[in-house]
Amino acid sequence: MEAPAPATVLPRSKHPIASRQFSTGARKVLRRLRQSGRNACLVGGGVRDLMLGRRPKDYDVVTDARPEEVRRLFRNSRIIGRRFRLVHVLFSDEVVEVSTFRGAPDPEHQRRSPGELLVTSDNTYGTPRQDAFRRDFTVNALLYRASDQAVVDYVEGLEDLDRGLIRVIGEPNLRYREDPVRMLRACEFAARLGFDLEDRTLSAAFEHRREIAKASPHRLIEELLQLLSSGRGAAAFDWMGRSGLLPVVLPEVDEVSGQSSGTNSFSNLAGLLDERVRTGPEVPTAVLLSSLLLPRVVVGRDRLEAGGARVHRRRLQQLVDDVVADFGGRFALSAARRAGMKKALETFQRLCEGPRSSRTVQSLVRREAFGPALELFTLLSAATGSGAEALESWRRHAEAAPPAKPATAGRPRRRRRRRRPRRRHL
């Protein structure tokens, strides 16, 4: 049996990362773990981004301490997760995620059908080397060792950083079956970093694209939201199309993604949403998710109005209900998220209608969903090159509208009647 290849270790003088670049929370967590005699490392996207000269979005820490031990060290923490238990250390302005070095998952602890490789429990602890090989992509498996400030690479991630390549650690046909969400993450990281997908990583995703149906819908929707809020969604959808994932994960996007003109254009829409995300302010979740369904809603409305007759509003509402129900069911969306999408798309439909009375206009402008609906209208108008006049009109109405009165929670409290003192009978 071949001995494992030695790790590549870059001493502090050979890499650009300095501990002063870390967030305050990350420095506190690393210091407390080291003071307690524990091995503590920065890991994952934080190390990757610092090596690339980028500012990390968040910081993850890995240690040899077990979750219960980490929880005892930090009063401001909580243990989360069932598939793999983690500790979130909570600070006023950030959350630092702390995990324990993982080993190979125990086959006897998995809840799966015979012949399947899906990992449902990953709470087997191991060494730093084993942990690196349990991670998804080589560029995400670099360690910054707090003890000597060295960067440690067990999986040739430094080479892939230099080459601009996203590569699955290990055999991709096996790793995708263990966790199908990795296929979606591969597309997201390639887009986010402007990297290429390594050939085997891409071809294996195409071969196992149907396995994505076995993934947790809650994990999938959170990955989609990260993708949409990255400002690189259009590139990610392109990689999803090349890997065969798009028609499986987002059929409503796939059916219009190849069209470059008219109301069906999603390529333009995704690029405009990316621009909106990058320029800020933060895009509401209802807008991010509803943008995926917007072309299907517009096409459905065009079909209903094809005969020239006016379509009753209830039919348009039913169209929105059906589209949101299909999407929400696949991703197990919460009732709140479904309601937010429905209200945004229904109000968007109202903005598409012809002139209305002043009273109706004011009623629409004062709706809570008017802001998200106007964002959708803005995106569609820019993507299709039409509706600019109507859009400007709605913007003027919004600016002229008086501020909405704050809603009172529940019924007003009744004033208590003052009780008269009892007379004492002597």
Side-chain angles (χ1 to χ4, degrees), residues 37-188:
R38 294 297 183 177
N39 185 357
C41 304
L42 200 67
V43 70
V47 182
R48 177 200 68 215
D49 289 345
L50 289 168
M51 290 294 293
L52 292 172
R54 303 184 182 202
R55 183 177 181 179
K57 185 179 67 173
D58 46 38
Y59 295 86
D60 296 337
V61 171
V62 65
T63 178
D64 55 356
R66 301 294 174 90
E68 297 81 5
E69 296 170 313
V70 176
R71 175 71 183 88
R72 286 195 293 269
L73 283 173
F74 298 94
R75 294 177 59 188
N76 54 323
S77 68
R78 63 186 180 193
I79 296 176
I80 67 162
R82 297 195 321 191
R83 180 177 178 270
F84 181 62
R85 298 171 74 217
L86 306 162
V87 179
H88 278 177
V89 184
L90 312 172
F91 297 94
S92 59
D93 56 349
E94 70 170 318
V95 177
V96 177
E97 188 172 276
V98 183
S99 61
T100 306
F101 292 121
R102 287 179 294 177
D106 188 339
E108 295 185 3
H109 292 169
Q110 313 306 319
R111 300 183 302 276
R112 60 195 182 195
S113 303
E116 282 196 355
L117 299 176
L118 191 69
V119 174
T120 59
S121 178
D122 207 3
N123 291 305
T124 304
Y125 304 121
T127 65
R129 175 184 288 276
Q130 289 172 324
D131 184 83
F133 278 92
R134 285 302 304 155
R135 295 186 179 272
D136 48 12
F137 308 106
T138 58
V139 297
N140 291 344
L142 302 174
L143 294 172
Y144 172 92
R145 203 161 52 195
S147 60
D148 59 359
Q149 301 181 16
V151 170
V152 185
D153 176 18
Y154 295 100
V155 295
E156 300 179 358
L158 291 170
E159 290 183 22
D160 288 339
L161 272 186
D162 289 338
R163 292 187 292 175
L165 207 60
I166 298 296
R167 178 167 59 89
V168 167
I169 297 171
E171 171 52 53
N173 292 292
L174 171 65
R175 301 307 302 281
Y176 286 155
R177 292 178 66 191
E178 288 179 340
D179 183 3
V181 176
R182 287 181 178 132
M183 293 183 281
L184 186 57
R185 287 169 60 81
C187 297
E188 179 191 346

Side-chain angles (χ1 to χ4, degrees), residues 224-328:
L224 277 177
L225 282 171
Q226 286 190 43
L227 183 156
L228 289 165
S229 59
S230 69
R232 297 287 297 168
F237 290 128
D238 181 58
W239 280 113
M240 288 173 68
R242 293 166 66 178
S243 66
L245 283 173
L246 198 61
V248 181
V249 179
L250 292 171
E252 47 274 288
V253 172
D254 180 65
E255 66 191 23
V256 296
S257 61
Q259 305 182 37
S260 58
S261 61
T263 55
N264 291 2
S265 173
F266 188 83
S267 300
N268 292 344
L269 192 68
L272 290 163
L273 181 62
D274 286 340
E275 185 179 345
R276 166 68 180 82
V277 168
R278 290 193 293 267
T279 56
E282 184 177 351
V283 181
T285 299
V287 175
L288 293 175
L289 295 179
S290 297
S291 68
L292 300 174
L293 308 183
L294 190 58
R296 180 172 279 188
V297 169
V298 173
V299 170
R301 180 176 184 135
D302 288 346
R303 288 171 181 164
L304 290 174
E305 294 177 339
R310 183 174 178 274
V311 180
H312 198 281
R313 189 171 294 148
R314 282 192 177 179
R315 293 188 67 186
L316 297 176
Q317 288 177 342
Q318 188 61 53
L319 168 65
V320 170
D321 288 349
D322 292 343
V323 172
V324 172
D326 178 37
F327 183 86

